[in-house]
Amino acid sequence: MLAHLSLKQFAVVDAAELAFGPGLTVISGETGAGKSLLVDALGLLSGARADSGVVRHGADRAELVGEFDLADAPLALDWLRERELHDGDGDPRCLVRRVVRADGGSRAWINGSPVTLTQLGELAGRMVEIHGQHEHQALMSRGSQLDLLDAFGRTGALREAVAEAARHWSGLLREREALQARGDVSDRIAWLSHQHAELERDALEPEPLARLLAEHRRHGHASDLIEACERASLRLGGEDGPSISRTVQQVRNELQRASEHEPRLSEVDGMLDLAVIQLDEALALLDRVRSDLDLDPASFEALDRQLGRVHELARKHRVSPDQLAERRNEIALELEQLSGATTRLETLDSEIAAARNAWRIAAGHLSEARRAAATTLAASTTELIAELGMGGGRFDIQFEPTDDDRPDPNGGERVEFLVAANPGQPARALRKVASGGELSRISLAIEVASLGLDAVPTMVFDEVDTGIGGAVAHIVGQKLRALGARRQVLCVTHLPQVAAQGHAHYRVSKTKQEGLTLSAVQVLSAREREEEIARMLGGVELTREARAAAKRLLADVG
């Protein structure tokens, strides 16, 4: 639940600190005092978009902080832990902060970590539900009516199964349409087969291509390589003239004769011995290289033709030679897909039919759950309508089947909320109810009947009691107080009958300082609360009768 709300430089509020507890907390005040600002602040903490108008005139930014006790909100705690926004130390508190600058920009934090507005909204959806004074307008939409019924019946898992079945059917249908759009693919297959055969003729992987290039270069420079090998062999170990090997051996012989007079010359001899070994190995390798080299014009011509084909293929396919293997594989994959297109079309028909049948089964389960929920919701709402001064009125939910040949992700039916405001009248669509007062009461009855069953611990009502009064207002207050026994309820109201039902009461008042209008929020003591309810009953002048009526209202609550 919401434990604490802090506002700084917000609209006409300079600074305010509000503490909240369980039960029903009511917020009242004169017209224009800014009662709904507290709801607006919670909306911003819930991820609503902000503009510079929420920053108090003359200030550079507005700051909002909400502290929530999530002991009654396990889904919110789980969400925080999954995103490592809660340390899991057993403390169920959560701090949400939002700063809106005078230029309209804003930033948000959860437990000190910066977050996006989307994340703020995801968390708030697990902590707070806000019902505005125009909430009934959303109930006019048949889509919203279906969503409310599903929320009431807790059919989320069934509805997701239906949506998944519809997506699977749609995916198969798109695949079939794409295959059919190709038409006759035989010419394409023939052309791709020819291209693939050309690419299969040579080894086009990087390693074989590297070997081909090296072999081509070696054959192209064979004459120069042979001459270089022969000259090196003569200089290193030739027998017909001076050579490095013979010179080194002569030096060793001379040093060996002189080493008996200088022992360090033996070390030099050892080094030259190693050099002779290296020279012998070099001569052997030169001999092997020379024997591998051959002036073979035919082989060079064959290599040249092969390399030419590779470059020609690269130009043809507009890729580099080292990308030809990848291009060959792409063509092979497309050939495989096209070759199986006819067979795939045949199997797709049966798969589409099976997917449609799977959707019908899933939609049937969802319909059963919806009808059961509709019966319960209709009975509860009808009972509440009678209590709200519309005796004999009736609420019902009508189901209209959709076309099951085209699976709908929302299920196999649409719903329409029907209302008969008076006995003997036929039920009409809720969106066609003419009286604003009746519509307000009916919408409130639907909201009260469908609330308190989900896991969201805090519910906020912003003047949803507009258009009602008298005994009906007293009953509305009782219903909100009863809802407060199960959930934390915050209610902005102008009705004294509703305000008297609160477990706690805040008053919003406005003053003028230095030509600026400011709003102040204060929690009321028992005496102050009596005065506020008397004001709500009697207007500006607090008469003895208004005070007596306020006392009676509070005494009736007990």
Side-chain angles (χ1 to χ4, degrees):
M1 70 176 185
L2 176 65
H4 188 269
L5 182 63
S6 172
L7 312 178
K8 292 181 181 179
Q9 310 296 334
F10 179 62
V12 292
V13 177
D14 182 23
E17 301 284 339
L18 296 86
F20 298 95
L24 171 62
T25 297
V26 295
I27 302 164
S28 65
E30 298 177 2
T31 301
K35 298 187 295 294
S36 294
L37 284 177
L38 302 180
V39 179
D40 295 338
L42 285 175
L44 290 173
L45 289 175
S46 299
R49 295 201 173 276
D51 57 48
S52 58
V54 304
V55 181
R56 191 171 72 86
H57 179 70
D60 59 353
R61 67 178 190 173
E63 182 173 351
L64 316 171
V65 180
E67 181 183 333
F68 294 84
D69 184 341
L70 301 184
D72 56 359
L75 294 180
L77 269 177
D78 290 342
W79 187 92
L80 289 170
R81 288 170 181 147
E82 287 172 4
R83 289 153 184 80
E84 298 183 351
L85 293 172
H86 192 279
D87 55 18
D89 59 357
D91 186 353
R93 288 179 299 175
C94 173
L95 205 64
V96 178
R97 179 170 171 249
R98 181 94 179 262
V99 171
V100 182
R101 300 189 305 273
D103 62 5
S106 75
R107 295 186 65 190
W109 295 262
I110 296 176
N111 288 332
S113 298
V115 294
T116 64
L117 294 187
T118 298
Q119 290 175 309
L120 210 59
E122 289 177 359
L123 175 62
R126 293 161 171 79
M127 300 191 301
V128 181
E129 278 186 3
I130 298 177
H131 297 266
Q133 55 186 308
H134 303 296
E135 187 76 9
H136 60 272
Q137 294 177 359
L139 289 177
M140 301 303 100
S141 161
R142 297 181 71 174
S144 296
Q145 293 173 2
L146 184 63
D147 291 341
L148 186 146
L149 178 61
D150 281 336
F152 178 79
R154 298 176 179 174
T155 61
L158 292 173
R159 185 164 174 172
E160 177 55 33
V162 170
E164 177 58 34
R167 286 193 292 268
H168 180 57
W169 175 86
S170 297
L172 293 173
L173 196 68
R174 286 193 300 271
E175 183 182 354
R176 184 177 68 180
E177 290 171 350
L179 288 174
Q180 289 174 335
R182 290 178 174 179
D184 186 3
V185 296
S186 57
D187 290 342
R188 175 74 174 170
I189 290 175
W191 183 67
L192 289 174
S193 297
H194 172 71
Q195 286 196 323
H196 189 261
E198 285 185 331
L199 291 168
E200 279 281 281
R201 182 174 180 180
D202 297 296
L204 300 175
E205 282 70 21
E207 289 186 7
L209 278 180
R211 287 196 299 269
L212 173 62
L213 287 169
E215 189 73 8
H216 183 268
R217 285 196 302 271
R218 194 164 68 90
H219 276 73
H221 296 84
S223 177
D224 294 338
L225 290 171
I226 290 172
E227 183 178 349
C229 288
E230 290 178 346
R231 283 201 307 268
S233 294
L234 288 173
R235 290 176 180 177
L236 288 176
E239 296 180 358
D240 297 335
S243 68
I244 295 176
S245 294
R246 187 177 298 108
T247 300
V248 172
Q249 190 58 50
Q250 290 173 353
V251 171
R252 286 191 65 202
N253 293 336
E254 293 174 359
L255 289 176
Q256 286 172 0
R257 288 195 295 270
S259 62
E260 59 178 314
H261 306 298
E262 174 52 73
R264 286 179 294 178
L265 294 177
S266 296
E267 295 181 24
V268 177
D269 179 59
M271 296 177 185
L272 292 174
D273 185 33
L274 292 174
V276 169
I277 294 172
Q278 293 291 324
L279 286 171
D280 290 343
E281 291 180 354
L283 283 167
L285 181 57
L286 275 172
D287 186 56
R288 289 196 299 273
V289 171
R290 173 60 187 86
S291 63
D292 290 340
L293 293 170
D294 193 7
L295 293 174
D296 186 353
S299 297
F300 177 67
E301 186 178 347
L303 289 169
D304 198 50
R305 286 196 303 269
Q306 185 179 356
L307 189 60
R309 284 198 305 271
V310 170
H311 286 290
E312 178 62 27
L313 286 172
R315 285 191 295 271
K316 181 177 181 179
H317 292 276
R318 298 181 180 179
V319 297
S320 60
D322 59 358
Q323 294 176 316
L324 283 171
E326 181 180 352
R327 176 62 183 146
R328 179 197 60 204
N329 295 338
E330 291 173 355
I331 292 174
L333 178 61
E334 185 178 356
L335 268 172
E336 182 181 351
Q337 292 172 341
L338 290 176
S339 299
T342 303
T343 305
R344 180 59 181 153
L345 274 172
E346 294 173 356
T347 60
L348 269 174
D349 287 336
S350 60
E351 288 184 20
I352 289 171
R356 184 185 293 110
N357 188 55
W359 174 87
R360 285 172 177 159
I361 293 172
H365 295 320
L366 177 58
S367 294
E368 291 176 7
R370 280 174 172 169
R371 291 181 184 277
T375 299
T376 304
L377 179 59
S380 300
T381 305
T382 297
E383 182 179 345
L384 283 166
I385 286 175
E387 294 182 24
L388 293 177
M390 297 172 62
R394 187 176 77 258
F395 176 80
D396 201 0
I397 299 177
Q398 175 181 286
F399 288 80
E400 297 177 10
T402 58
D403 180 9
D404 64 356
D405 285 335
R406 294 193 63 83
D408 189 322
N410 293 317
E413 61 277 316
R414 292 184 294 270
V415 300
E416 180 85 69
F417 286 2
L418 304 178
V419 174
N422 299 295
Q425 289 184 343
R428 299 168 58 208
L430 179 64
R431 53 194 165 86
K432 295 181 180 179
V433 173
S435 167
E438 288 179 346
L439 180 58
S440 179
R441 277 181 280 173
I442 293 167
S443 299
L444 183 60
I446 295 171
E447 289 168 359
V448 173
S450 60
L451 289 173
L453 297 177
D454 55 18
V456 177
T458 299
M459 297 179 179
V460 182
F461 294 87
D462 184 14
E463 297 194 29
V464 293
D465 48 16
T466 299
I468 61 176
V472 175
H474 182 71
I475 294 172
V476 170
Q478 289 180 325
K479 295 301 178 185
L480 291 172
R481 185 179 177 91
L483 188 59
R486 290 178 288 168
R487 294 285 186 269
Q488 182 189 44
V489 178
L490 310 180
C491 180
V492 176
T493 182
H494 65 282
L495 296 178
Q497 297 91 335
V498 174
Q501 295 290 333
H503 297 94
H505 193 152
Y506 275 96
R507 179 179 62 203
V508 182
S509 57
K510 59 181 179 180
T511 60
K512 285 197 174 183
Q513 295 181 11
E514 299 178 357
L516 294 177
T517 299
L518 297 178
S519 288
V521 186
Q522 68 177 117
V523 63
L524 301 181
S525 65
R527 176 63 181 166
E528 291 168 333
R529 188 177 183 195
E530 184 179 306
E531 292 289 301
E532 173 65 6
I533 292 175
R535 181 198 63 76
M536 297 171 75
L537 283 164
V540 178
E541 292 188 14
L542 298 182
T543 64
R544 184 187 311 171
E545 291 78 7
R547 287 190 171 94
K551 285 184 179 180
R552 285 195 299 272
L553 281 177
L554 291 169
D556 289 343
V557 175

